[in-house]
Amino acid sequence: MIQDLQYYRALGLRDIQIQAIEEHAQNQEEPARIIEEHKDSYTIISGNGSGRAFLSGKLRFELTAGNLPATGDWVLTGSQEPYIITELLPRFSKFSRKIPGKKTTEQIIAANVDLIFLVMSLDNNFNLRRAERYLSLIQSGGADPVILLNKVDLLSREEAENKLKDILTVTNVPVHLLSAITGEGKDIIASYLKKGITIALTGSSGVGKSSIINALTSDHVQETGETRNDDKGRHTTTSRKIFFLEQGCMLLDTPGMRELQLWDAEEGISEVFSDILELAEHCKYSDCTHDQEPGCAVKKAMEEGNLSQDRYRSYHKLKSEASKQQSMLDENFLIQKRKREKAIHKEIKKMLKERGRR
């Protein structure tokens, strides 16, 4: 039985984790939430306060590189320092990507978050195609996205409203204009800050995530950096960390990402591009590739100006990327399966050989 359940619910504990705790927790084990990641350890918070925690040897051996605990995760630990993490509890949501490079491995950016603020700045960072990519990943992971168009103070009101109209052509999720410098939009953002929920901030480097956190916390808790001349920004946040707000909610800051490769994003792509899927239902052929086939509703929509070619190309690019990644995952699965089977056959052969000697 969990002691002081109300306290843990205020930290974001959900029924899915409570059920797992009741099934798996041993004596002297208690739930804790990871609020920051370090190179070889974590900072956790529990009924005993906060402190450093380390993975047990068994858990480190059992978990794959792509399924290690991440900021926002709930775990089971011992009740005394040094805290040893013995179990990773189920997640109700996650935001993840494929790690940069050639390896086909998942990287968890944030776990157990209710909302994700996708921050875009109204300078050269503003990019509809990038927004579609982020939204595909966010909506695949189970969190609700909200787009914040930051640095509205850089534009005239008309220019800002035009950017708002542009983003609303590719999504129906909530979108808000914001200035972390002047405070415009702060009251609207504050309406999302409800007790017990966790909100992650994500976006490219230099879009102002740390400035937003500082504005919402009314304190200078995050370093901020000047944007470079090319508008790419500098990394001022280097780790994923949860901040606690006086409203009772939690903000999870993440480092800016210059590379965002898809991971298990098929469902999110379908949600982000639902308009194209609805058009495809009216194509003459059920297996229409929207290329040269007659009676293609998607091609017709593009010809009539009801669907931009850029948006369709974005959809096609993300679908192809997701399909290629799935093929690589299937191939890796088969390779690992063959390795396991080979090891089993080798062990059986060894046992039979030893029996023959008796």
Side-chain angles (χ1 to χ4, degrees):
M1 189 70 180
I2 302 172
Q3 300 294 324
D4 199 357
L5 182 58
Q6 186 176 356
Y7 167 79
Y8 284 104
R9 283 196 179 277
L11 289 178
L13 191 70
R14 297 298 176 80
D15 289 343
I16 186 175
Q17 287 123 10
I18 293 172
Q19 181 179 348
I21 292 168
E22 292 173 347
E23 292 175 357
H24 301 293
Q26 305 295 320
N27 290 334
Q28 305 303 314
E29 285 185 332
E30 63 177 34
R33 193 171 195 192
I34 294 174
I35 59 174
E36 188 172 9
E37 294 178 58
H38 308 285
K39 185 176 181 181
D40 58 357
S41 65
Y42 304 89
T43 300
I44 62 167
I45 187 168
S46 68
N48 291 323
S50 62
R52 279 291 178 100
F54 304 84
L55 290 179
S56 67
K58 179 176 180 291
L59 199 61
R60 188 177 293 277
F61 176 77
E62 290 177 346
L63 296 178
T64 62
N67 198 35
L68 292 172
T71 303
D73 265 323
W74 282 94
V75 296
L76 290 178
T77 73
S79 58
Q80 295 181 341
E81 293 191 71
Y83 298 111
I84 303 300
I85 297 173
T86 57
E87 180 119 12
L88 173 62
L89 298 176
R91 300 171 176 131
F92 67 82
S93 74
K94 66 177 180 177
F95 175 53
S96 67
R97 65 173 176 176
K98 176 189 169 297
I99 62 170
K102 295 182 179 180
K103 287 187 178 180
T104 309
T105 304
E106 182 180 19
Q107 179 186 27
I108 306 294
I109 306 299
N112 298 309
V113 293
D114 301 276
L115 297 175
I116 296 183
F117 286 165
L118 170 55
V119 185
M120 301 174 64
S121 57
L122 293 175
D123 48 23
N124 288 347
N125 173 265
F126 184 83
N127 185 302
L128 298 181
R129 309 289 80 85
R130 184 184 294 118
E132 291 166 342
R133 177 175 288 269
Y134 267 99
L135 290 172
S136 295
L137 281 174
I138 293 171
Q139 295 188 242
S140 291
D144 293 325
V146 175
I147 298 176
L148 305 183
L149 300 181
N150 193 27
K151 304 186 182 181
V152 66
D153 51 285
L154 297 179
L155 304 180
S156 67
R157 177 52 53 181
E158 182 180 0
E159 290 172 325
E161 292 292 343
N162 286 336
K163 294 285 189 182
L164 179 60
K165 290 177 183 177
D166 288 342
I167 199 75
L168 290 174
T169 64
V170 302
T171 185
N172 57 5
V173 308
V175 185
H176 304 290
L177 295 172
L178 177 70
S179 172
I181 303 299
T182 67
E184 179 177 347
K186 182 179 176 181
D187 290 343
I188 296 176
I189 306 308
S191 67
Y192 290 97
L193 310 181
K194 297 177 181 177
K195 185 176 180 179
I197 73 166
T198 305
I199 303 172
L201 285 87
T202 190
S204 305
S205 301
V207 296
K209 298 187 299 297
S210 296
S211 297
I212 292 172
I213 285 184
N214 288 337
L216 293 176
T217 57
S218 300
D219 196 6
H220 191 81
V221 296
Q222 284 290 71
E223 292 296 323
T224 59
E226 295 295 328
T227 303
R228 293 176 359 188
N229 291 333
D230 56 7
D231 286 302
K232 289 185 178 178
R234 294 182 174 87
H235 290 288
T236 53
T237 300
T238 56
S239 65
R240 291 173 281 278
K241 182 177 181 179
I242 287 179
F243 297 91
F244 296 89
L245 274 60
E246 60 183 15
Q247 293 90 338
C249 76
M250 291 140 282
L251 288 182
L252 196 163
D253 195 11
T254 65
M257 290 179 282
R258 293 176 185 162
E259 183 176 348
L260 191 69
Q261 297 190 49
L262 299 181
W263 183 270
D264 192 22
E266 286 282 357
E267 182 178 340
I269 292 172
S270 295
E271 289 189 50
V272 173
F273 296 94
S274 59
D275 55 329
I276 294 179
L277 297 182
E278 289 173 6
L279 285 170
E281 292 179 359
H282 299 285
C283 289
K284 183 176 181 180
Y285 301 104
S286 60
D287 60 348
C288 183
T289 63
H290 319 307
D291 186 16
Q292 300 296 328
E293 296 91 339
C296 174
V298 175
K299 279 177 58 182
K300 182 180 179 182
M302 285 190 283
E303 290 168 357
E304 294 178 348
N306 296 321
L307 172 65
S308 77
Q309 293 188 3
D310 286 342
R311 179 161 170 78
Y312 176 71
R313 280 194 289 265
S314 175
Y315 166 72
H316 189 268
K317 179 181 179 180
L318 294 178
K319 283 284 289 183
S320 298
E321 185 178 329
S323 178
K324 181 180 178 182
Q325 184 193 87
Q326 187 59 52
S327 297
M328 293 173 67
L329 286 172
D330 292 342
E331 184 179 347
N332 287 342
F333 174 79
L334 291 174
I335 290 172
Q336 295 302 318
K337 183 180 178 182
R338 292 191 194 104
K339 284 183 178 180
R340 288 193 298 270
E341 290 174 346
K342 188 175 180 180
I344 292 171
H345 290 318
K346 186 177 180 180
E347 189 65 26
I348 292 174
K349 189 175 180 181
K350 181 181 177 181
M351 291 172 58
L352 293 174
K353 188 175 181 180
E354 289 177 352
R355 287 182 182 178
R357 290 175 181 170
R358 296 174 184 173

